[in-house]
Amino acid sequence: MKAQYFISFSSLCLLFFLQFSLAQPSTQILSPEYEDLYTRISDNPQLVVDELLANPPNQPQSELAAQYHYILSEAYLSLVYPQQALEAANKALHLLPEKQPDSLYHALLITKAQALDLKNQSQEGLPLVKQALQWAESNHNQNMIINALVAQGYLEITLGNYITALEALLRAYHMAPHSGSTNSKSAIAGSVALVYEYRREDQLAIPYFQEAVDYQRQNNNQLELSIALYGLGRANKNIGKLETGQKQLQESLAISRAIGDDQGVAYALKELAPLYIKSEDFEQASLMLTEAARLFSGSQNKFMLLDIHSTLTQLYLKMDDKPKSLHHMKLAKKYLDADSMPVQAISLAELESEVKAQQGFYQQAYEQLKSTIHKKQQLMSKRSAQKLHELRVKFESETQAKENSILAKENAEQKLQLVKEEQQNQRLMMGIFAAVSLVFLLIFAVIYNKKQQAKLYQLANFDQLTGLFNRSHIMTLLKQIHARLKTNQSIHLVMLDLDNFKQINDQFGHDAGDQVLIQLGQLCQQHITAPNLAGRFGGEEFLLVLVDSNTDQVSKKIETLRIQAQHINTTIHPECPPIHFSAGLSECRYNQVITECIKCADLAMYQAKNSGRNRTVVSSLKL
């Protein structure tokens, strides 16, 4: 079992860290006695919380007390404690006098929205941010406009509205001054980078992360610098620049330790440990993961604790440390909720079989893997079957070795009694056996070569997750179909994109998101049959090519897919909402350019997104 089977929240928590450290309101709304505390949040939020809790306001029902709770809420946000931040923000709003809402009131709306976002209640937070943005624009408060746009950007990301999110963040980026403000362009650059990072476009994210790192380093903003370095390190690591990424993650770790940011320390350790495992520095990796587990225990993050102890189990399997691998296996099972984590349950069962095999219980390990094979085939890839095969071969090899030992003794006794003719017959049989073996080896080589060719063809032309054509191959097939069109003939192109896919990834994990893609791919294979084509175009986007169909027929086929897709959620998680998608439809005639027709379908799909999602829009563009 590989570590990527488990949910990883590193990029999500980085999003929250950046959101709360960059979208900061002006300190002009604060009294002098609280202004200094507010500016110190970026250096060491834990110290600010400790100092505030030790010195509560003298007049607990005053407007000054509202400022106290506002700063406390901001500090809790920087530490990623959403419930405490929300409670403090609500107290502050309750303490404000009943009069015309002012800057502090709207700053608190933004803070409350951020806390709701952390609690996965982004839909409730979005109206608060828009209310603050409208007030700021009416009052020409540019600093708050930027803050509201940054907050809106992150809420839209959580809701899966990437285009809207990028528009809000880029608007904030272009409005911001070049320097001299906590909301400068360079400070907001990390927020823009995060949109690309979350979409796994690390190469596009790196320049923005670098800009944020340079700015925060120049201004000695320690918390923001550690966060920006974390994002830059992850991005470099993801594109293969391991040494550069490791240095940046180590610097982020050192800063997080210095300012007492336990969350930052835990995630940096979690990100660094696999690099040490890769270089076989198992002792250092073990120390890092153990410390991360201790820090995550404080926040009771059961997903990360499950992930950490599973990684530790794998580490000690590599080290052949049986007691420790068994110990961490038990701890991982402690944090598993099989009902809400079906993918993780299968993965953990597979890992447990490895531990049993390490302990020498091959039959038990074999039986356990065998019992999970059906679910594994439905929810995951083919790895469970491979593991089952490996364990079965190992078990059968052990049995065969014992049988061979017995046969060898019997053969030795028989050889003493064989006459010369029997010895000649034995040599003859050995020759025949060698010849037959050679024939079988040749046959095996031919079969193996064909399988390898088929495998290479599959890898080159099919998406490995969904089984559909990949982008390159469907474009090749589409061009061939288009080239055969006769005068006045046409084909229909459908660009299909899943709605709120990012929300499913965030709430239920990337493995759940993969299952949505897998099952939608299976529906496409069932309903989009030859000569029609279906392919994964990228991310959660699919391209359908329909031949010999009119627009009404194509629309009906899309609606059939839509109805079937809504039931995918029942296999993912009890709380998973129905799966919807937006689709754009364009017609491509024999004399039109394919790429332009695809662009029309893509634009129609985005029109469907912007007009409410879960619908199909027919392109009205004329080429």
Side-chain angles (χ1 to χ4, degrees):
M1 184 185 64
K2 304 298 182 184
Q4 58 262 39
Y5 286 171
F6 288 90
I7 296 175
S8 173
F9 291 125
S10 301
S11 61
L12 180 60
C13 286
L14 172 61
L15 181 151
F16 291 139
F17 288 148
L18 281 170
Q19 176 179 348
F20 304 136
S21 62
L22 295 180
Q24 296 181 356
S26 169
T27 57
Q28 293 176 357
I29 64 177
L30 300 174
S31 301
E33 60 188 285
Y34 285 129
E35 185 170 349
D36 177 64
L37 271 176
Y38 180 84
T39 58
R40 285 161 48 197
I41 291 177
S42 60
D43 292 325
N44 196 323
Q46 186 60 57
L47 284 180
V48 173
V49 169
D50 293 341
E51 187 169 339
L52 286 168
L53 294 179
N55 298 282
N58 294 326
Q59 298 178 336
Q61 299 300 319
S62 65
E63 185 172 352
L64 201 61
Q67 296 183 23
Y68 166 90
H69 290 292
Y70 165 65
I71 298 173
L72 188 61
S73 179
E74 286 286 336
Y76 277 134
L77 285 175
S78 293
L79 292 170
V80 195
Y81 293 141
Q83 184 60 39
Q84 293 92 326
L86 183 60
E87 290 173 358
N90 283 331
K91 286 181 181 178
L93 287 167
H94 179 72
L95 290 170
L96 289 176
E98 296 182 0
K99 61 177 185 180
Q100 184 68 25
D102 58 6
S103 297
L104 178 58
Y105 175 85
H106 290 94
L108 277 163
L109 291 184
I110 296 174
T111 302
K112 182 176 180 178
Q114 293 168 338
L116 289 169
D117 195 17
L118 255 183
K119 288 171 63 66
N120 201 29
Q121 296 173 253
S122 308
Q123 199 68 55
E124 296 178 32
L126 193 58
L128 304 181
V129 167
K130 290 184 177 180
Q131 181 181 341
L133 177 60
Q134 184 178 5
W135 182 90
E137 289 174 336
S138 299
N139 290 271
H140 308 290
N141 189 330
Q142 182 167 337
N143 192 55
M144 187 171 289
I145 292 173
I146 295 172
N147 294 331
L149 286 170
V150 171
Q152 181 188 354
Y154 285 109
L155 289 159
E156 297 287 8
I157 290 174
T158 305
L159 295 170
N161 305 325
Y162 299 115
I163 296 177
T164 308
L166 194 57
E167 288 175 352
L169 290 170
L170 287 175
R171 181 185 169 195
Y173 181 79
H174 292 302
M175 286 183 64
H178 287 281
S179 60
S181 168
T182 57
N183 276 339
S184 67
K185 288 185 183 295
S186 298
I188 298 173
S191 303
V192 178
L194 205 58
V195 181
Y196 295 118
E197 195 268 352
Y198 199 86
R199 288 181 63 86
R200 302 177 185 177
E201 298 172 321
D202 297 284
Q203 200 70 55
L204 296 175
I206 286 175
Y208 286 101
F209 272 134
Q210 187 65 60
E211 182 181 351
V213 167
D214 294 341
Y215 171 80
Q216 304 300 353
R217 195 186 300 280
Q218 179 182 357
N219 288 273
N220 196 30
N221 297 328
Q222 293 301 297
L223 177 61
E224 291 89 339
L225 176 59
S226 71
I227 295 166
L229 280 167
Y230 178 80
L232 183 60
R234 287 187 80 251
N236 276 313
K237 192 183 88 165
N238 290 343
I239 65 171
K241 294 184 177 180
L242 301 184
E243 184 176 351
T244 300
Q246 184 173 2
K247 289 180 180 179
Q248 290 159 347
L249 288 167
Q250 286 172 333
E251 185 179 358
S252 174
L253 173 62
I255 295 172
S256 295
R257 288 192 189 279
I259 64 176
D261 179 12
D262 287 347
Q263 290 287 321
V265 170
Y267 278 97
L269 290 171
K270 170 75 170 58
E271 201 70 33
L272 280 166
L275 296 174
Y276 286 92
I277 294 176
K278 185 178 181 66
S279 62
E280 297 189 352
D281 189 349
F282 298 142
E283 182 177 355
Q284 183 62 32
S286 175
L287 291 173
M288 287 181 162
L289 290 168
T290 301
E291 183 180 359
R294 177 180 60 81
L295 294 172
F296 284 128
S297 294
S299 59
Q300 279 301 301
N301 188 333
K302 66 179 182 179
F303 289 99
M304 291 310 299
L305 287 168
L306 172 61
D307 198 347
I308 289 286
H309 287 297
S310 298
T311 305
L312 280 166
T313 302
Q314 295 171 46
L315 172 62
Y316 289 120
L317 281 172
K318 289 179 180 290
M319 297 172 67
D320 198 28
D321 190 329
K322 298 178 182 179
K324 288 186 178 180
S325 63
L326 184 60
H327 171 70
H328 287 286
M329 182 72 246
K330 291 179 179 178
L331 288 176
K333 292 175 70 175
K334 173 184 175 183
Y335 295 106
L336 175 69
D337 183 349
D339 293 334
S340 62
M341 304 178 190
V343 176
Q344 290 85 344
I346 293 174
S347 301
L348 198 60
E350 189 177 53
L351 179 59
E352 187 175 15
S353 72
E354 292 189 33
V355 174
K356 287 182 179 179
Q358 182 195 43
Q359 306 290 327
F361 304 122
Y362 298 116
Q363 181 65 34
Q364 293 181 25
Y366 168 71
E367 294 297 336
Q368 180 163 344
L369 270 182
K370 186 177 180 181
S371 68
T372 64
I373 188 63
H374 181 65
K375 292 181 180 179
K376 184 70 173 184
Q377 289 174 336
Q378 288 182 328
L379 298 175
M380 307 297 287
S381 65
K382 299 178 181 178
R383 297 190 182 186
S384 181
Q386 294 171 351
K387 289 287 183 180
L388 177 62
H389 175 71
E390 293 170 3
L391 197 55
R392 182 171 58 229
V393 169
K394 192 170 184 178
F395 174 74
E396 292 174 352
S397 297
E398 185 181 67
T399 304
Q400 188 64 48
K402 293 178 180 178
E403 294 175 355
N404 289 342
S405 178
I406 296 172
L407 289 173
K409 292 180 180 179
E410 293 176 351
N411 288 338
E413 294 175 357
Q414 291 175 359
K415 286 180 181 179
L416 295 175
Q417 301 174 5
L418 290 177
V419 294
K420 185 177 181 179
E421 293 180 2
E422 291 175 338
Q423 292 175 344
Q424 291 174 346
N425 290 337
Q426 186 179 30
R427 287 194 291 269
L428 178 61
M429 291 300 295
M430 290 176 63
I432 294 173
F433 177 76
V436 172
S437 298
L438 180 61
V439 171
F440 274 110
L441 285 173
L442 291 172
I443 294 173
F444 174 79
V446 171
I447 295 174
Y448 178 78
N449 183 55
K450 289 183 177 180
K451 286 185 176 180
Q452 287 297 104
Q453 290 178 350
K455 185 177 181 180
L456 290 174
Y457 177 81
Q458 185 76 15
L459 290 172
N461 297 299
F462 291 86
D463 176 58
Q464 299 306 300
L465 183 64
T466 63
L468 300 177
F469 297 125
N470 60 25
R471 180 171 183 157
S472 174
H473 194 51
I474 196 172
M475 287 300 295
T476 300
L477 297 175
L478 174 57
K479 291 175 182 177
Q480 293 173 358
I481 293 174
H482 187 263
R484 293 195 296 268
L485 291 179
K486 298 178 181 179
T487 303
N488 296 328
Q489 284 188 325
S490 66
I491 54 179
H492 286 82
L493 306 179
V494 179
M495 187 63 70
L496 183 153
D497 187 275
L498 286 166
D499 296 329
N500 298 325
F501 184 69
K502 185 258 180 188
Q503 183 179 357
I504 293 174
N505 274 335
D506 288 349
Q507 188 170 358
F508 306 106
H510 288 289
D511 290 318
D514 287 348
Q515 283 308 306
V516 173
L517 296 174
I518 290 171
Q519 295 190 42
L520 183 58
Q522 292 172 348
L523 289 176
C524 288
Q525 291 175 350
Q526 294 172 11
H527 296 284
I528 311 299
T529 56
N532 304 316
L533 307 175
R536 187 180 178 190
F537 213 61
E540 58 265 30
E541 290 187 342
F542 295 78
L543 176 63
L544 309 181
V545 179
L546 294 107
V547 183
D548 297 332
S549 300
N550 58 39
T551 301
D552 289 339
Q553 292 171 331
V554 173
S555 297
K556 289 180 181 178
K557 192 172 288 290
I558 296 172
E559 289 310 307
T560 300
L561 269 180
R562 189 188 309 281
I563 293 170
Q564 293 290 322
Q566 290 178 357
H567 301 297
I568 292 175
N569 66 316
T570 60
T571 66
I572 302 301
H573 190 278
E575 297 180 4
C576 183
I579 305 303
H580 298 149
F581 60 77
S582 299
L585 170 62
S586 71
E587 183 177 6
C588 186
R589 300 186 181 279
Y590 76 99
N591 59 348
Q592 292 177 323
V593 179
I594 293 175
T595 54
E596 293 299 320
C597 296
I598 291 177
K599 186 181 295 183
C600 288
D602 198 44
L603 290 172
M605 180 269 290
Y606 280 115
Q607 185 179 350
K609 289 275 188 185
N610 293 330
S611 60
R613 301 190 187 89
N614 193 27
R615 64 192 61 199
T616 301
V617 171
V618 179
S619 174
S620 60
L621 297 178
K622 304 297 183 181
L623 299 179

